[in-house]
Amino acid sequence: MANRLAGATSPYLQQHKDNPVDWWQWSPEAFEEARRRDVPVLISVGYAACHWCHVMAHESFEHEDVAALVNELTVPIKVDREERPDVDAVYMTATQAMTGQGGWPMTVFATPDGEPFYCGTYFPRDAFQRLVTAVSDAWKNQREAVHQQSAKVVDAIRQVAARPPANPMHEGVLDAAAQSLVKVYDKEHGGFGGAPKFPPHMNLLFLLRHYQRTHDDGVLDIVRFTCERMARGGMYDQLAGGFARYAVDGTWTVPHFEKMLYDNALLLRVYVQLDRIAGGGTARRVAGEIADFLRQDLHDGHGFISALDADTDGVEGLTYVWTPAQIDDVLGEIDGAWARYLLEVTADGTFEDGASVLQLPEDPLNLERWLDIKRRLRTARDARPQPSRDGKIVAAWNGLAITALIEFGQVYGDPQAVQLAVGTARYLADTHIVDGRLRRVSRDGVVGAPAGVLEDYGAVAEAFCAVHQATGDGEWLRLAKLLLDVALERFADPDGGFFDTADDAEQLVSRPRDVTDNATPSGLSAIAAALVTYSALTADVTRREAAERALATVAMVAATHGRFTGYACSVGEALLSGPYEIAVATSDRTDPLVAAAWWHAPPGAVVVAGPPDTPGVPLLESRVQRDGRPTAYICRNFVCDAPVTELEDLVAGLG
């Protein structure tokens, strides 16, 4: 049997290369093989850090008898959802249409033309074997019924992907979106809805910008309380920083232990903006710890890897949880007792087998003692077996991390954070842009074949705009324009909005288009954010109008379901704000005027500093220094106030 996954760049596919199941990679050849053999296709979709994907692999795909059945009756295809989000989107829509829910592992049976006719998620071994047999029997003996079913599912997919009606994203839409979040706010524990509870980073970003416009203290209280509770609970790593993917309960106590790059990039922006707007020691501390986690645990020298696994040696949480005895073994009886009380490690435990997830309900009065204990526990934990790493670099998620680190570095004056962000952007520009088009993934410095999707173009273009602001280098603005030009030419719908795949990309059973934000910003939200930022940096009205048309396709959803449109709504708030264009004519980018501009920036504002008439920097064109002093120019909607040289005048001009 050929090992068709041996050369895959995806760590998830590599995890399955030694399975007895004869996995194919997603390719035309796999479907042609199904036609030749006249058998259905089994499409198994997951990702490297997925706990239940590992469970199904151990229970089913690693067993010879299961593999023999699958190999005989189907052509099995293994797909990394993070590498091929377009494939995942199509079949997730089918799964949700058939079952009313979705998730990973995703298990889909399809015709040799790729049309799904039976969909599900995780199946125990016996149930999975029965399912494979039943599907094969239906394919052989009820072919007409199978095709009728697949036609219905494909029709449902295409209806979901149809262009939604357009409506301008005006002030009333954003106010309604905010109120829709208020209605589902968990007043007792923070966040929105019940268990499982995911970090609502994009909704929090939106609410922070909404507060800046409305000064609604109730909205700010929601963000402040939610951020505090998330950071105090077990979903946050109290020793090393960084948030887990979600909490399995409604109280943020027990996490699903995988740590994703995109969650932490977006949450870094939230905590920086919360500290900037409302102040508070917890927000600043957590922002610094997330930034350290990104730098120390997720950067591989090229860019930011995708995730740390939920499992260690096949056991979820093994690296992270503690029993009272383990605490005492590291710290001794006296310090151990203090730490157990502080971190809520009890004999009963909060996890499994009497172990506890570390929590920090309140800051200790003796900070020096806590930092020493934290260091000792971290050292002991580092000696344990560690979770696997998903080492692939995803363009969109690295774009989110670059933007977050630029904001962190500029707001707090951390040049190392900015330098890391710029270096990662350089890697994306040199490695992921191939023949003027963006590739989605790379690994170990080698770019993969999957084409970039809309979220990649949007998030990376926004990141390049952020790097331009931090460096005053016009090259980054040129690269952002390159990506936005491709998006407008290849992804835009002439009737409004965007598709998630390019017009010359592989044709699936439906061309995906999702206007809602999920774990990451939708492609539409990401490209709208980049278009707004680029237009503010360049006075390009056509890019701004493209962003407004894109947001109009999500406005009706936003007005009633703000929970699923947080990033789009945050872009809408930026447009309502202006966004502000702030230029500081100075030879010193660390000048107090520059720092104040970043700290007091209104929603979506752009900030550029540098000598007057710097080549490739439109905002510095003809921006002279008054009386030879650093001078700030504040503009909004392409209209400028009088230049200022005093710090208090700049702050007053920014509201």
Side-chain angles (χ1 to χ4, degrees), residues 78-94:
K78 189 51 96 166
V79 178
D80 183 341
R81 65 169 291 261
E82 297 171 349
E83 190 173 69
R84 291 300 304 265
D86 51 340
V87 173
D88 176 68
V90 167
Y91 293 106
M92 181 57 71
T93 300

Side-chain angles (χ1 to χ4, degrees), residues 260-313:
M260 309 301 298
L261 170 61
Y262 52 76
D263 285 323
N264 285 284
L266 289 164
L267 285 165
L268 176 56
R269 294 184 71 181
V270 169
Y271 281 91
V272 169
Q273 299 310 323
L274 176 60
D275 183 36
R276 204 171 59 78
I277 293 167
T282 300
R284 182 172 300 197
R285 171 178 65 81
V286 172
E289 290 172 355
I290 297 173
D292 287 343
F293 167 70
L294 293 176
R295 289 187 266 212
Q296 296 168 11
D297 289 32
L298 293 188
H299 203 275
D300 72 348
H302 301 292
F304 294 96
I305 66 169
S306 297
L308 302 182
D309 206 333
D311 297 355
T312 301
D313 295 342

Side-chain angles (χ1 to χ4, degrees), residues 42-276:
L42 165 63
I43 304 170
S44 177
V45 184
Y47 58 103
C50 168
H51 172 71
W52 288 100
C53 299
H54 299 325
V55 172
M56 190 165 178
H58 296 325
E59 288 183 348
S60 295
F61 303 144
E62 295 175 3
H63 290 268
E64 295 286 351
D65 56 337
V66 177
L69 192 68
V70 169
N71 295 339
E72 177 187 357
L73 301 180
T74 75
V75 170
I77 301 175
K78 189 51 96 166
V79 178
D80 183 341
R81 65 169 291 261
E82 297 171 349
E83 190 173 69
R84 291 300 304 265
D86 51 340
V87 173
D88 176 68
V90 167
Y91 293 106
M92 181 57 71
T93 300
T95 301
Q96 291 170 335
M98 289 196 73
T99 68
Q101 60 186 10
W104 301 276
M106 180 164 53
T107 305
V108 175
F109 292 90
T111 71
D113 293 325
E115 298 181 343
F117 59 87
Y118 189 88
C119 306
T121 52
Y122 162 78
F123 292 94
R125 178 178 172 183
D126 291 344
F128 179 65
Q129 288 179 288
R130 292 194 299 270
L131 176 60
V132 172
T133 302
V135 164
S136 176
D137 180 71
W139 180 255
K140 293 173 183 175
N141 302 313
Q142 302 174 55
R143 185 74 59 91
E144 183 177 351
V146 168
H147 282 301
Q148 289 175 349
Q149 174 72 0
S150 67
K152 291 179 181 178
V153 176
V154 170
D155 182 61
I157 296 172
R158 289 172 177 162
Q159 287 184 33
V160 170
R163 182 173 69 88
N167 180 45
M169 187 173 274
H170 51 69
E171 185 175 299
V173 169
L174 295 169
D175 291 345
Q179 286 306 305
S180 74
L181 287 169
V182 172
K183 290 178 182 176
V184 294
Y185 172 58
D186 181 349
K187 296 179 181 178
E188 185 176 359
H189 302 293
F192 306 99
K197 193 169 274 186
F198 291 81
H201 28 57
M202 289 174 282
N203 295 326
L204 299 177
L205 279 172
F206 161 50
L207 291 179
L208 284 169
R209 288 185 173 184
H210 184 73
Y211 167 77
Q212 287 181 280
R213 173 171 63 86
T214 64
H215 303 291
D216 182 343
D217 289 333
V219 164
L220 181 60
D221 288 342
I222 287 175
V223 179
R224 189 161 23 204
F225 184 66
T226 298
C227 285
E228 184 78 11
R229 290 304 301 266
M230 286 195 304
R232 296 293 182 188
M235 196 180 73
Y236 184 65
D237 188 339
Q238 305 297 342
L239 300 183
F243 283 89
R245 180 70 193 95
Y246 62 87
V248 300
D249 49 56
T251 62
W252 311 108
T253 301
V254 178
H256 182 53
F257 288 91
E258 62 186 328
K259 290 182 179 178
M260 309 301 298
L261 170 61
Y262 52 76
D263 285 323
N264 285 284
L266 289 164
L267 285 165
L268 176 56
R269 294 184 71 181
V270 169
Y271 281 91
V272 169
Q273 299 310 323
L274 176 60
D275 183 36
R276 204 171 59 78

